[in-house]
Structure formats: structure tokens, C-alpha cells
Amino acid sequence: MTDESPVDWVLVDITTADPLIGQLFDGRYRVDARVARGGMATVYTGFDTRLDRIVAIKVMHQSLAEDDAFVARFHREAKAAARLSHPNVVAIYDQGSDGGRVFLVMEHIDGGTLRDRLRSEGRLSPAAALGVMEPVLEALAAAHDAGLVHRDVKPENILISSDGRIKVADFGLARAIETTGMTTTGLLIGTVSYLAPEQVSTGRADPRSDVYSAGIVLFELLTGAPPYDGDTPLSVAYRHVNDSVPAPSSLLVGVPREVDEVVRRATLRDPEARPATARDLLVGVRHAQLAVAAAGATTALRPIADAPTLITPLRRGRGPNPNYTRVLRAPGGGRPPIVGPVRRRRRPRRSAVALLAILLLALAVAIIGWRLGVGSGHASNSKGKSSSAASSAAQSTAPAAPTPIVTDDVRNLTFTEAKAKLEGQGFLRADKSDVFSETVAKDFVIDQTPVAKAQAKQGDVATLVVSKGPERVGVPKLVGVPKAAAIKALTDVQLAVGTQQDAFSETVAKDIVISAGKAQGDPVAPQTKIDLVVSKGKQPVPVPDVTGKAYDAAAKILSDLKLKASRTDAYSSTTALGLVVSQSPAGPLVSGDTVKLVVSKGLPPVAMPKVLGLSRREAVKRITRLGLQVILVDFPGRRGSTVIDQRPAPGVMVPAHSTVTIYLF
């Protein structure tokens, strides 16, 4: 079963007589039982006699079926929605008209709606709420990828089958209803709690409007009710436009901040700030699911008004740190769950451990040295001369001091050459430090330590700064990219934007880069300025005045300017037959736009006046005053003075300036 936009469904007594039950639509679909009735349609279970399967049949109310604009839009939207194939979308099998009835044949879902689940179970846990929203957003994402907007996302249009599968119904129906006179009233009656602000203020909707409605549904799943209520639908709509949706955590204890963030981003009043499509919002939902699973938020939440104080700041050092929170006690006892990040105690840093080890080692060396010094003192006192002799022997056998080196200048040599030269001088080795250079060729030495001519010792280590050559980055893809994205792509690779020139383009959309100063992949130095040419869209075309011209001539003038012409015929008392009476819009337009032309059908017809019983003179006066010509037919043998008959009859519409006949006696 499904809910019909825009009025809530009511279940009906299937025993009530219904003239449609038992009928066969289109010679194929048998109407079996009435299930629900809404403000726009009635839903029946039915049977496809050709394919032997149970179906759902939605029959639009007669008032809509008599509206040609609605029927045309209904058929177009049904065809578009039927092309949408996704496991979380209620499939549309067929649509048509039969005996003045407009109907839609859909996949039959054996189950209920999300509204039914909310009524029976109340609000859901964060895990369950996100679990419901994931397939809903999968369905909306598939629609947005296909260029479709639902326009009426709400619990009544989300179906849950008996085996737990979730499907979204009624894609495109809200758009079809927009062609009727019920648009404003209907939407405010049935869907006002889920309308995006731009739908209220401008009537327009795009994928971001579906994102907003999905965010309201998630809020209701978590809290048990939509965020706004009011005495009238208009007061609720006003709040969507002027108020910000509160965070679920402001109403319930323990809502993970990631869930708050999903609701916040989806329900931002500015559509430009929301996720662009349901697929973008789905990424946030899946991230929140991971956070909810980690926090163990699997049970329904408790309103803050009913709950004890559960959250207190953890103290670290001198006072509370608002970034760390823990539940100290939970309702009903038991181990409290963590509702905020609790950071583990940090391990001592390795640098502190190393410093302590060095200090201990130094102390040990000092103690050993002190003890050896004391022992040497005692020995020298007891053995004076022998100690002195031993000392002289030790001095004669000690190694000689390292030979000093005057460091060679190895700049402008290759690293291999410089390394060999320094090690030949007596350096232990030469380490390498690579840097980019715009002036020194790759692999050549830029600088050295020790510097040239400096004193060093054999066995020292030298360091050589070696050129990696000029630093270059590849120019990213810019042509065909939106201007803002192109600028970001340049800054991401440390390039800069040069001149920005705007130009009209018949083929490139507005704000898209037409050309760039460098081709994609060209190697350039960092901070190089790249010039951009950005499209201003199609060049405006001034619309000439073609009123008073024959339609074919007017259409030719517009065609030469790459504009299209559409024609509507209407009677005119001021413009001759076949000439253009009026045109719109006034312009300027761009190539490919359409100018609507109203073409004269000539003077409007007039109604034949009633002249029976009038005198000859008065009858002629009334007829000719309407611009009609009159033929007088007298009774044979005499000149008539009174009208006894007229052709055509009174009230009949006749062409302007045509001739009528009256008979006199």
C-alpha cells in the first residue's frame, strides 16, 4: 500500500460498495479490493490477468481526471518514474486511462508504511533510525542520478514490506499535481511538516529539497515527531522558512554528535549549504552509523526532560575539560555507556624516557670516575716514583692527534665527484641533502659543510646540499571544470590564478572554464599564475518587435536570430486575421529560447440577437448594430412590418460581419 500526496491516507471498509471493484482496466488489470483513499486518489489491490501477478492500482479522483493539464503531466511523470529501476523504489508497471479513469499500476508491497511503524513503535534508536534512512537515501540517490526529484518525501511514502524491505513510492506524482489548482492547498494540508523552505517560498524543488525532507524524516524517527507544529499549516510552513531545525540531542539524552551533524547538514535553510544530492547525505549517514555502532547507541533515546543528569565533565589537571565527557550513572543502574569521547591516559613520551636514561648514565660514569680517582690517589702516595715512570711511559705510547684538513671547495661539482674529493682529503664520508633549485643543475652541489677553506680533522663527516633540479608541478584539469573547482584545483597543487577573463559561449555553460593558459599536465614552477577564460553562458539576443506581422514572417525573423517561435491563435478585435497580436517575453533571450506569439483569428463571433416580434425597423437596427448584414424576406404579396422568424436562431454564435435572415409579416 502507499500514501498519496498530498493528503494523508485513510483506511477504508473494504465491504463498502465501490463501483470500480470487479472492473477490468485496459482489458487487463482487474480491480479486486479497495485499500486506502486519499485526497488525490484511491488505491486498490488488483490482478494483472496477462502476467498473473498481484499489483497495486492507484486511481486518480475524477476531478483530476477531467483536468487535461494534469492528465498530460501525469502520463509524462509516470513514464519518467517507470525508467527508475532500483530495489528500494516501488516499481511502476503501467499507466493509462479507461472510461474516464486515470490510473497507475505499481508493484504490490505486502506490508505497511513507515508512518504505521512510528505509530506502533514510537521513536527509534539512532541505529534503527539510520538503518531506515540508508535504503531511503539509496532510492533518492538513484532518482537524483537519473535527474528525478521526489518532492514529497515523508513517512507515508516510505513502505516497509512484511520481510523488512524498505521502498520509496510516488516519484513524480507531486510534480504532476502541480499542474492543478490544488497545488498550494494540497501541499499545505498533507506535506507541510516535511517541505523544504524553498518549496514554501518559491515553489521550486531540486535534489536538495529531497535532502531537507529526508533530514526531517530522520529527526522524526529519532524524536517521535517532526520539529515544527502549529495551529495552521501556514504557521508550520512559516517556521520551515524562518527557524533552524533543533539538534535531536537538545531533546534526547545521548544522541551521538555525528547523528546531530547529519540532521543539521540536511536541514540547513540555505539549499546551497546542504548536501547537493541524497548520495552526498548517504555518506554522512554511513559515517554516523559507524559512530553509533562504536558508541553502542542501539536503544531508543530518553527525553531530556524525563532523564536524570547523566553527563558531567571529566577533570584533567586543574578543572573540567569540555572536550571529554563520560556518563557517570545510567537509569536503572548497570554500567553506564560512553556518550562522548574519552581519551586514554597518555603514555610517557619517548623523549622524556631517553632524557632520564642519559641522566642515569652520566651519574654512573661520574661515580665510577670518582672511585677510580680516589684509588689513583692512594696508589700515588704509596708508590711515588713508579707512578711517575708509568705516566711517562703512557705518554710516550699515546696516539698522535688527528691531522688537520683545509676543506676543498666542492661546489659546482657533481655529488659523486665532490664525495670522492672530500673522502680523499680524509673525511670519513659525505652525507647528501637534496633540495630543488632553479639555478643549479640536477645532481650538482649547491652548498657544503664545512665551508670551503674551513679547518676540519681527518675522520670528520661532511654534508653536501645537492640540487634536485627545478621544482615542477603538473597543471590539473581546468577546462570544462566549474570556476570555483578550478581555482581550488590550482591552489591544491601550489599554483596561482592569473587573469580571469569572462566570455560568452554557445556550447559551454555559465561559470565553466572554457580555456586555460596551460594544458592539463604541463609542468610548471610552483606559484605559477595560470590564466583562465570562464563562460558567461550564451550571449543575450535582443528580441525584435514582430507584432502586426504575419506569423510565418515573424517566425522567420526570430529563427534568423536563433530563437524559436511558438504559436497560439486567439480572436482579436484590433488585429487582422493571421497577424501577430502579441509576443512574450520581451527579452533579451539567448539562442534556443522560445518567443510565444499570439496570432489573430480575426474578430470574435457574435451571438445572434432575439428579434422575434419586433418591428421591421427595430429588428434591422439591433442586427446591424452588431456588425452583421441582414436579408429581409417579406410575406408573399405584402411588405411585412413584424418579424415572425429569424435564421439563425437567437443566441447562436455567428462570424463577425456575416449575413443573417429575418422573415416579416
Side-chain angles (χ1 to χ4, degrees), residues 33 38 86 173 200 372 464 474 521 550 579 590 604 610 625 647 661:
H86 191 274
L173 187 57
V200 175
L372 291 174
L464 301 177
L579 302 184
V590 297
K610 181 179 180 180
R625 189 166 54 196
R647 292 289 184 275
T661 303

Side-chain angles (χ1 to χ4, degrees), residues 120-171:
S120 63
E121 300 181 17
R123 60 178 175 267
L124 307 182
S125 70
L130 294 173
V132 169
M133 292 308 299
E134 183 175 13
V136 171
L137 293 175
E138 288 276 13
L140 294 175
H144 295 168
D145 290 346
L148 296 176
V149 180
H150 191 289
R151 288 179 170 79
D152 195 20
V153 178
K154 59 184 178 181
E156 289 80 1
N157 282 339
I158 299 170
L159 310 186
I160 305 176
S161 67
S162 56
D163 60 0
R165 290 176 295 120
I166 293 177
K167 290 177 174 277
V168 180
D170 285 352
F171 280 91

Side-chain angles (χ1 to χ4, degrees), residues 4-5 9 36-43 58-61 64 173:
E4 175 54 63
S5 167
W9 283 91
R37 179 181 175 86
M40 298 294 167
T42 303
V43 174
K58 178 173 292 185
V59 182
M60 308 309 295
H61 292 344
L64 291 173
L173 187 57

